[in-house]
């Protein structure tokens, strides 16, 4: 059984695109400061940056995923799909 083709993505407006780019860049910068500052997490900020960049610049995600220490944690988070992206139940079956 093959998956149905995805519908085309809705384009983001220019202000939303700029806002996500700016937020992603700020999160990368804060995460970079967290590398040398004790007590400031890096992974959390870079996960946020990846979430922003996946919408606007998917090619910018690759360097973050290749980072030796933080990259595996980011990949794990993306596979986890905490926001309802897991298996979907068919509408016909109900749990008793």
């Amino acid at each position: 059984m093959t998956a149905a083709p995805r519908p085309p993505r809705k384009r983001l407006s220019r202000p939303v695109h700029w806002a996500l780019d700016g937020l992603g860049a700020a999160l990368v910068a804060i995460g970079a400061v967290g590398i040398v500052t004790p007590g400031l997490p890096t992974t959390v900020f870079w996960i946020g940056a990846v979430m922003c960049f996946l919408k606007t610049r998917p090619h910018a995600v690759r360097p973050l995923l290749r980072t030796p220490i933080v990259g595996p944690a980011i990949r794990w988070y993306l596979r986890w799909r905490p926001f309802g992206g897991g298996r979907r139940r068919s509408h016909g079956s109900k749990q008793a």
Side-chain angles (χ1 to χ4, degrees):
M1 183 172 166
T2 61
R6 290 184 180 178
R9 257 196 228 180
K10 199 168 123 178
R11 290 188 55 94
L12 298 173
S13 67
R14 190 169 291 197
V16 171
H17 195 278
W18 286 349
L20 285 174
D21 275 347
L23 180 61
L27 290 171
V28 167
I30 294 170
V33 170
I35 292 173
V36 295
T37 305
L40 185 64
T42 298
T43 310
V44 175
F45 291 109
W46 283 3
I47 286 174
V50 165
M51 299 305 285
C52 291
F53 287 146
L54 280 175
K55 292 284 186 185
T56 60
R57 302 183 184 281
H59 63 276
V61 173
R62 192 172 296 131
L64 293 173
L65 295 178
R66 289 185 179 168
T67 307
I69 303 296
V70 181
I74 296 172
R75 283 192 300 272
W76 176 84
Y77 180 81
L78 291 174
R79 287 186 192 124
W80 179 45
R81 298 180 183 190
F83 303 111
R87 278 199 220 168
R88 297 180 187 214
R89 284 186 259 150
S90 64
H91 292 287
S93 66
K94 292 185 179 182
Q95 269 185 319

